[in-house]
Amino acid sequence: DTAVSQTPKYLVTQMGNDKSIKCEQNLGHDTMYWYKQDSKKFLKIMFSYNNKELIINETVPNRFSPKSPDKAHLNLHINSLELGDSAVYFCASSQLQGSSTQHFGDGTRLSIL
Amino acid sequence: LAKTTQPISMDSYEGQEVNITCSHNNIATNDYITWYQQFPSQGPRFIIQGYKTKVTNEVASLFIPADRKSSTLSLPRVSLSDTAVYYCLVGSLNTNAGKSTFGDGTTLTVKP
């Protein structure tokens, strides 16, 4: 059973389109995260939700909008995609907010043409 | 937030012991040190975590000196499959203590 699963695994789309990435965790964790990993492998946190409430919102363009329908799901919607949005997006979860013990999904590779 | 500094890359050969050091001069009293391993096309995976002295599990050992301003991940007898990016992370285990920030990672390449 996959602990943190995200779909799709690959996403190829054109500039200007709107797309969504879904994430689900079956660990019963209270906190979920979205990270962006660029081509240099730097992992940067984008958002953190605790029990469906937004906790961390780093300097991310407002074209990115996370949505948490329940504490087991955290989806990421991106409007008006730009070339610079090409990256791998990772979803993660942890038992407690801000915890350094996090479980990651396998990522969604987003490529903008 | 405690910033971490790691070597960008390291090379090793199969069967050798590999030590990767992470500097975290501003570590806070409540902070733990956690190491993650990331293979290509996968998410980071928890390897080991410690607060002070030495921690050992079936995968690695973690050495933390008394001042806790650095830590060393030790991988015994590496194999080709240990080729990965290793991230050092310093942060609290519990809530309301800020957030944990990943360092830039060390790319370990194990050669035959």
Side-chain angles (χ1 to χ4, degrees):
Chain A
D1 239 7
T2 305
V4 180
S5 60
Q6 45 184 120
T7 55
K9 192 170 175 64
Y10 300 97
L11 189 49
V12 181
T13 189
Q14 303 232 336
M15 250 187 351
N17 283 351
D18 304 338
K19 290 292 178 187
S20 292
I21 308 172
K22 295 186 176 182
C23 179
E24 175 182 3
Q25 55 97 0
N26 62 8
L27 297 167
H29 287 168
D30 286 341
T31 306
M32 295 184 73
Y33 310 82
W34 277 110
Y35 286 86
K36 179 180 180 181
Q37 187 173 48
D38 61 21
S39 56
K40 293 184 179 179
K41 304 294 185 186
F42 298 146
L43 263 171
K44 290 188 177 179
I45 190 165
M46 300 172 68
F47 300 102
S48 168
Y49 267 73
N50 187 57
N51 268 322
K52 303 192 299 174
E53 182 184 345
L54 180 64
I55 301 300
I56 294 173
N57 181 354
E58 290 296 307
T59 15
V60 176
N62 57 16
R63 298 182 295 105
F64 291 78
S65 53
K67 282 191 172 52
S68 182
D70 54 63
K71 76 173 192 177
H73 295 83
L74 180 62
N75 304 322
L76 183 65
H77 188 75
I78 316 170
N79 289 327
S80 304
L81 281 157
E82 301 177 358
L83 288 176
D85 297 332
S86 293
V88 182
Y89 292 83
F90 287 99
C91 176
S93 72
S94 64
Q95 181 61 46
L96 297 170
Q97 174 192 328
S99 172
S100 58
T101 308
Q102 299 179 19
H103 296 254
F104 283 79
D106 282 338
T108 296
R109 182 174 293 276
L110 174 62
S111 300
I112 310 300
L113 304 176
Chain B
L1 292 174
K3 180 174 168 50
T4 60
T5 304
Q6 317 171 219
I8 295 174
S9 62
M10 293 182 71
D11 288 344
S12 181
Y13 290 92
E14 278 191 296
Q16 288 187 332
E17 178 184 78
V18 171
N19 296 311
I20 306 175
T21 297
C22 179
S23 297
H24 28 79
N25 290 319
N26 297 325
I27 189 168
T29 304
N30 290 335
D31 285 343
Y32 279 69
I33 299 147
T34 310
W35 283 82
Y36 286 79
Q37 176 190 55
Q38 184 180 23
F39 296 116
S41 301
Q42 293 185 23
R45 183 177 70 104
F46 174 95
I47 305 177
I48 197 166
Q49 184 177 74
Y51 184 81
K52 62 180 179 180
T53 62
K54 177 183 173 184
V55 179
T56 297
N57 62 23
E58 65 278 3
V59 177
S61 294
L62 179 59
F63 299 92
I64 305 167
D67 66 7
R68 304 201 325 123
K69 293 188 176 187
S70 67
S71 58
T72 299
L73 173 73
S74 181
L75 304 172
R77 299 165 60 93
V78 293
S79 63
L80 295 177
S81 62
D82 292 317
T83 293
V85 180
Y86 292 83
Y87 292 94
C88 165
L89 177 63
V90 172
S92 173
L93 293 186
N94 53 31
T95 190
N96 297 325
K99 60 185 179 186
S100 302
T101 305
F102 280 85
D104 292 342
T106 298
T107 299
L108 172 66
T109 303
V110 180
K111 302 175 183 177

